[in-house]
Amino acid sequence: MTISSTAGTTTPRDRSGHFRIGVLVLVVLTAAWRWWTTSRWSWFADDWVYLDQTQSMGFLEYVFQGYNSHLMPGQFLLTWVITEADPLDYRWAALLLTFFAVASLVAWAAAFREMFGERVRVLFPLALLALSPLLLMPTVWWASGIQVLPLQLSMGLSVLFLARYLLRGRRRRDMAWLVLSYAMGLFFWEKALLIAIPLVVVGWVLTPGSARERLTSLARTSALLVVVSVAYAVVFFSTRRAGALAVPRTEFSPRSLGDWTGFLNDSAQNVGLPALAGGPFERLTDAWDIYQPVSTTLSVTLTVVFLALTAVALVVRRTSVPAVAGVLSYAAVSWGLVLTSDRYEDTILTAAGTGRYAVDILPVAALGIALLTTRTVLEPAGTALRRPLPRRVEGAGRLVLAGGALAVVAAMVVTNAATWDAARGSSPRSWVDAMVADSRRVGEATLVDVSSPPRVIHPVLFQEYAALSRLLGPLDLPLAYDEPSSRLLVPDEDGHLWEADVVDVAATNLPSADPACGFLVQAGRTTTVPMSIDLYPFGWGVRLDYFAELATQVQVRTDTDVVDLDLAAGLQSVQLKVTGAVTSFEISAPDTGTPVCVTQVLIGGFGPSDRPPWP
């Protein structure tokens, strides 16, 4: 079987059976690994903002919102669909993330097959796309994975159809598929505009002729893509809005040359070069994927190896200049978007070590590696090098590259396993699953509207979005929050619901002059309960013990809070929440009320007891 080019050359496929088996193995490994990891994760951080907004926004407003100055209708559409279909069930998210990971790999395999033929050498860059540890944590997190994986898929499809267009007679249908693939990436994330960079590289190397002929071909080929890009840019820049967390609209912020060199150097040293060597090698413990600076020894070693291999490639291979230029240009622009954002100051201590900021560079690097190690279908055997090498030198070079590729693949496998072993303990899944299951089981109940633990959504960073009422909103359950009740419920650190107790008591009532009744609250009167200490404004939990011969109503007043209570008859207790300072504590009864003896008042925080909410 042959591949035809516009120049009329044909290249036999090299070990097609091995190539196909290798791709099949990588596809199976990708599907198994991505499903294994993502299905054991759950909603995290920004995911909860996305879910909450499905309840407060209309469909079109939600899908086309400008989230922190991003335009990402594709991921918001999918979030809306899975929330409507089965709210808070992360299995649907895991299935979609796995699908995009597998589809991306298949698209890139097809693109490399079109460009290089069925050659075993391209299995290494494909393995980098399938198994890089850099992908692990960003792709288990929905808000991150649903950005980077569709972008990677769109980029692979765009490269595939551009190659088909250039190599198969410039058919209109291939151009149509190219435009659609590019538009799909833009539908998911505005960063897909950067797909133009690898497309220029591919267009250059797959167009025979002089530099002028190549530039002319590129101009004609990219005309429709330029129109789409300009139209999209106009829409994007005219619709940017502030984000849900009151983050101001992101603006361009110029940086000094020192800022540029420092940031790019740190990003390459801490993330970029380790990723090409089978890392990054640090064992992360959460999905924020922030890597610490690598050791000096590792940094120097990787830099020397990278520069040496790049220098050899530039000297030896014909396609080395566009390949290296494409990777470096894309990395500079991708990282530069982070650096020149006015939000960079908020993340200056972590931005250069954040893995998800480099994930979209990975497929461009894989393309560059393929171009540096494998001749294209336009290059007859023996013409990929600038000059013939001695047979021994060429053979030694192949052995070195093969050994290095195997070592990198082995490092990726080991690092993936070690990283997941370290990170899975911080997965939000167990807390989310327990919280959802208990909330559904408890029926009508009143919950203390506490915040979730940071491993689910950080209450300091996300504020009100971390409250239980916002997290459980998509379930549409008959739950109340922070309402007075004789049986408030609160989750423990594992997400299971228990009856609440006032714990870490900060203030209690002073002794009453009437030990038999405590503090008598009569109809139409107000009783002041003296407390042991004045309390500052906070979300205080209050437990009020009382005896009432008949059911009645009272009103509790603190400095700024007024809470109406319905009291049952008998010896009972009721719990309530106040949020202001407590320097006075008064209880009033209406004229139609009946006497109540308040025997004890405790003020502190709410915590889980050892009493389950069901028999």
Side-chain angles (χ1 to χ4, degrees), residues 583-603:
T583 61
S584 65
F585 194 93
E586 298 177 342
I587 306 174
S588 304
D591 295 337
T592 57
T594 58
V596 176
C597 289
V598 176
T599 57
Q600 181 176 242
V601 176
L602 302 176
I603 303 179

Side-chain angles (χ1 to χ4, degrees), residues 5 61 66 82 122 135 156 171 211 232 270-271 279 287 348 351 358 455 473 516 549 582 607:
S5 75
E61 178 190 11
I82 60 179
V122 299
L135 287 165
R171 299 176 302 189
Y232 180 87
N270 299 333
V271 179
I348 192 169
R455 65 187 174 102
E549 186 173 352
V582 183

Side-chain angles (χ1 to χ4, degrees), residues 445-484:
T446 302
L447 276 59
V448 182
D449 202 12
V450 296
S451 295
S452 72
R455 65 187 174 102
V456 178
I457 176 173
H458 204 293
V460 174
L461 297 177
F462 291 90
Q463 303 171 30
E464 70 270 16
Y465 288 99
L468 282 185
S469 57
R470 307 294 285 267
L471 302 185
L472 299 177
L475 295 176
D476 195 24
L477 297 174
L479 299 173
Y481 300 90
D482 286 349
E483 297 293 332

Side-chain angles (χ1 to χ4, degrees), residues 158-159 162 178 182 195-204 218 225:
S158 297
V159 169
L162 176 59
L178 168 59
Y182 180 59
I195 292 175
I197 296 175
L199 291 183
V200 168
V201 174
V202 172
W204 182 273
L218 278 174
L225 299 180

Side-chain angles (χ1 to χ4, degrees), residues 201-337:
V201 174
V202 172
W204 182 273
V205 299
L206 293 186
T207 301
S210 65
R212 181 176 181 178
E213 290 171 329
R214 294 183 179 192
L215 288 173
T216 301
S217 174
L218 278 174
R220 292 173 178 173
T221 302
S222 60
L224 276 177
L225 299 180
V226 170
V227 171
V228 172
S229 301
V230 170
Y232 180 87
V234 170
V235 173
F236 172 71
F237 285 110
S238 63
T239 58
R240 288 185 305 153
R241 297 189 296 274
L245 304 176
V247 176
R249 193 175 73 173
T250 304
E251 301 290 354
F252 175 77
S253 182
R255 305 294 175 189
S256 67
L257 179 61
D259 290 334
W260 272 94
T261 56
F263 182 78
L264 293 179
N265 179 69
D266 290 344
S267 297
Q269 297 288 339
N270 299 333
V271 179
L273 294 182
L276 296 179
F281 303 105
E282 183 182 345
R283 297 185 180 185
L284 298 177
T285 56
D286 59 44
W288 292 113
D289 73 318
I290 297 171
Y291 295 95
Q292 298 300 315
V294 300
S295 67
T296 302
T297 301
L298 180 60
S299 175
V300 171
T301 301
L302 292 179
T303 301
V304 169
V305 171
F306 173 77
L307 292 177
L309 291 176
T310 302
V312 170
L314 290 172
V315 171
V316 171
R317 296 198 68 86
R318 294 184 184 277
T319 59
S320 58
V321 173
V324 173
V327 175
L328 295 181
S329 299
Y330 191 98
V333 175
S334 181
W335 277 325
L337 290 174

Side-chain angles (χ1 to χ4, degrees), residues 9 84 92 131 143 164 205 212 223 228 230 232 275 326 406 475 486 567 572 581 598:
T9 63
E84 288 294 309
W92 294 107
L131 302 175
R164 289 171 65 94
V205 299
R212 181 176 181 178
V228 172
V230 170
Y232 180 87
L406 290 175
L475 295 176
S486 60
L567 304 183
Q572 305 281 354
V598 176

